[in-house]
């Protein structure tokens, strides 16, 4: 029988799917850059006051685990190295996609002819799958932690999905948003139906942490004439206050 935590996890997943599907129809995102700066500030705060401290916790889990052999045994004691690998993987995929970025008006299938574009879209899809898995697999007692993650990730995807929409245009509307929804649901299904070892989940979280940092630094930090530092600062202050109130 499902409890409050499971219901909140379902709400969180549905909310993320709705963001993927309808970000192009949220007019307040298109009328100005204030909300994008706000979401970027909240996402930046999420990295510094939530993700990075959790990396330290994951490192403790890995350090206390039974020794493993081979490359897994090495990574098992290096959560921060796994986060760096996630950062490099997503940064490389983004840079490769930038070099061949197709105009927004280009026909859908034409934009998928270059391997670098496919790599970038695949990395974004995998990112959604990782998030879906970690939400569904979240086992920490208490509802506030899930609620904080839901708020931060919703704001995060409002910004990153809007950037993807501006980058890919019709391709996002016809293909990518459905890939993101499907990946989120598949990830949630894996998280709900399987039980992975804590070390595997810790490594998965560390890899995702690096990917989140790339998304924040690359896509959501306001820049140039479109920057609104006041909104960015407000978003960072808003989420920091929520997180610190939860820790109090």
């Amino acid at each position: 029988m499902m409890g409050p935590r499971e219901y909140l996890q379902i709400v969180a997943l549905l909310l993320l799917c709705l963001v993927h599907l309808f970000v192009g129809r949220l007019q307040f995102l298109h009328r100005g850059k204030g909300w994008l700066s706000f979401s970027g500030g909240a996402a930046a705060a999420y990295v510094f006051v939530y993700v990075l401290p959790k990396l330290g916790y994951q490192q403790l889990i890995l350090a206390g685990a039974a020794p493993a052999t081979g490359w897994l045994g090495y990574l098992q004691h290096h959560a921060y190295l796994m986060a760096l690998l996630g950062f490099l993987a997503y940064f490389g995929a983004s840079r490769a996609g930038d070099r061949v970025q197709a105009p927004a008006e280009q026909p859908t299938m034409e934009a998928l002819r270059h391997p670098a574009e496919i790599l970038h879209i695949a990395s974004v899809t995998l990112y959604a799958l990782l998030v879906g898995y970690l939400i569904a697999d979240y086992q920490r007692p208490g509802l506030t932690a899930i609620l904080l993650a839901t708020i931060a990730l919703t704001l995060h995807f409002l910004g990153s999905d809007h950037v993807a929409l501006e980058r890919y245009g019709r391709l996002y509307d016809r293909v990518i948003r459905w890939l993101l929804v499907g990946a989120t649901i598949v990830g949630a299904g894996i998280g709900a139906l399987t039980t992975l070892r804590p070390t595997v989940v810790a490594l998965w979280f560390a890899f995702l942490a690096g990917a989140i940092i790339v998304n924040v630094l690359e896509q959501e930090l306001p820049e140039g004439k479109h920057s609104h530092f006041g909104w960015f600062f407000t978003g960072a202050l808003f989420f920091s206050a929520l997180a610190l109130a939860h820790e109090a």
Side-chain angles (χ1 to χ4, degrees), residues 132-171:
Y133 173 84
L134 289 172
I135 289 179
D137 188 64
Y138 201 87
Q139 299 297 321
R140 181 179 173 184
L143 301 180
T144 309
I146 302 176
L147 183 60
L148 283 175
T150 301
I151 293 171
L153 290 171
T154 299
L155 291 171
H156 172 59
F157 278 115
L158 278 174
S160 62
D161 284 7
H162 180 77
V163 170
L165 175 64
E166 289 189 330
R167 172 173 181 156
Y168 290 108
R170 287 188 295 169
L171 178 60

Side-chain angles (χ1 to χ4, degrees), residues 213-246:
I213 293 172
V214 170
N215 276 277
V216 171
L217 294 179
E218 276 236 300
Q219 298 179 352
E220 296 182 28
L221 288 179
E223 58 183 48
K225 63 181 180 180
H226 298 303
S227 64
H228 291 268
F229 179 75
W231 277 100
F232 184 85
F233 181 81
T234 302
L237 190 63
F238 168 76
F239 185 82
S240 297
L242 287 179
L244 294 176
H246 168 57

Side-chain angles (χ1 to χ4, degrees), residues 11-228:
V11 170
L13 292 166
L14 288 175
L15 191 57
L16 294 183
C17 289
L18 289 174
V19 169
H20 294 321
L21 284 176
F22 299 112
V23 68
R25 293 163 178 79
L26 299 177
Q27 294 301 318
F28 66 89
L29 291 176
H30 303 281
R31 290 172 183 164
K33 299 294 183 180
W35 276 104
L36 296 179
S37 296
F38 182 90
S39 71
Y46 180 62
V47 168
F48 283 99
V49 305
Y50 192 84
V51 173
L52 293 182
K54 290 296 178 294
L55 262 182
Y57 174 72
Q58 303 302 331
Q59 179 63 55
L60 292 177
I61 292 177
L62 295 173
T69 58
W71 63 271
L72 183 60
Y74 184 77
L75 289 177
Q76 181 172 298
H77 299 285
H78 294 84
Y80 292 99
L81 177 60
M82 193 66 178
L84 176 61
L85 292 177
F87 181 95
L88 293 175
Y90 277 82
F91 183 77
S94 178
R95 288 281 76 83
D98 285 343
R99 293 193 183 120
V100 295
Q101 181 178 340
E105 67 274 7
Q106 193 171 11
T108 299
M109 299 311 296
E110 290 292 326
L112 292 176
R113 288 186 175 180
H114 200 288
E117 282 291 0
I118 297 175
L119 174 63
H120 182 255
I121 294 170
S123 70
V124 172
T125 304
L126 177 60
Y127 180 71
L129 186 144
L130 292 173
V131 170
Y133 173 84
L134 289 172
I135 289 179
D137 188 64
Y138 201 87
Q139 299 297 321
R140 181 179 173 184
L143 301 180
T144 309
I146 302 176
L147 183 60
L148 283 175
T150 301
I151 293 171
L153 290 171
T154 299
L155 291 171
H156 172 59
F157 278 115
L158 278 174
S160 62
D161 284 7
H162 180 77
V163 170
L165 175 64
E166 289 189 330
R167 172 173 181 156
Y168 290 108
R170 287 188 295 169
L171 178 60
Y172 181 91
D173 196 50
R174 295 180 182 180
V175 178
I176 296 176
R177 63 175 179 154
W178 298 106
L179 288 176
L180 296 178
V181 169
T184 302
I185 294 173
V186 170
I190 296 173
L193 298 175
T194 63
T195 302
L196 298 179
R197 289 186 301 168
T199 52
V200 176
V201 176
L203 290 173
W204 202 328
F205 178 89
F207 186 85
L208 179 61
I212 290 175
I213 293 172
V214 170
N215 276 277
V216 171
L217 294 179
E218 276 236 300
Q219 298 179 352
E220 296 182 28
L221 288 179
E223 58 183 48
K225 63 181 180 180
H226 298 303
S227 64
H228 291 268

